[in-house]
Amino acid sequence: MKFLVLIYGNPESRKVWDSLSDEQKREGMAGYAGLHEALAASGELVASESLDDPERTKQVRIQGGQVMTTDGPFAEVKEQLAGFYLLDCDSMERAIEIVPQIPEAPFSIVEIRPVRDLGALM
């Protein structure tokens, strides 16, 4: 089964990151590298990316056949999507087991969403 693990940040979690020393930031990044290697070795990692700042986002809508874009951020919420893992693992329980290994998890909200298999419709 595939699961999308969404990592949300907010201004407070960004302040925590910004307050870390360079050595602490390197340790955090090493944690991400270790998790990436472990998930790749287990065959569970499909993709993982860190996302750029929400201010660099474009929202795209199509109305009346016209493409319209708006600059971000868009949601009137404090949390913004900061990164993700796309995992292929045996169960939701296994995906939940992986979340505490994400270095940012203690300072963020992490959502796990099953990926819908549309293969039967193709």
Side-chain angles (χ1 to χ4, degrees), residues 2-41:
K2 289 186 181 166
F3 297 92
L4 186 60
V5 178
L6 303 167
I7 304 165
Y8 291 90
N10 59 48
E12 294 305 313
S13 64
R14 176 51 65 191
K15 284 181 189 176
V16 169
W17 174 259
D18 290 341
S19 72
L20 297 177
S21 69
D22 288 345
E23 180 60 28
Q24 290 171 314
K25 289 177 182 177
R26 280 191 289 277
E27 288 173 14
M29 295 310 295
Y32 275 108
L35 177 57
H36 186 92
E37 290 173 14
L39 292 171

Side-chain angles (χ1 to χ4, degrees), residues 55-120:
E55 292 79 21
R56 301 202 54 202
T57 301
K58 294 281 187 189
Q59 186 178 66
V60 180
R61 292 181 187 214
I62 301 173
Q63 292 181 334
Q66 298 291 92
V67 176
M68 299 182 308
T69 63
T70 306
D71 292 336
F74 316 103
E76 296 296 328
V77 296
K78 292 181 182 176
E79 285 77 27
Q80 297 287 336
L81 186 60
F84 69 90
Y85 284 89
L86 179 57
L87 304 176
D88 190 353
C89 50
D90 293 332
S91 65
M92 174 67 82
E93 290 74 21
R94 173 60 184 143
I96 292 170
E97 288 175 2
I98 292 168
V99 170
Q101 299 173 55
I102 299 171
E104 205 169 343
F107 313 105
S108 304
I109 295 172
V110 178
E111 175 183 340
I112 301 173
R113 181 177 281 181
V115 174
R116 189 177 297 148
D117 181 5
L118 299 177

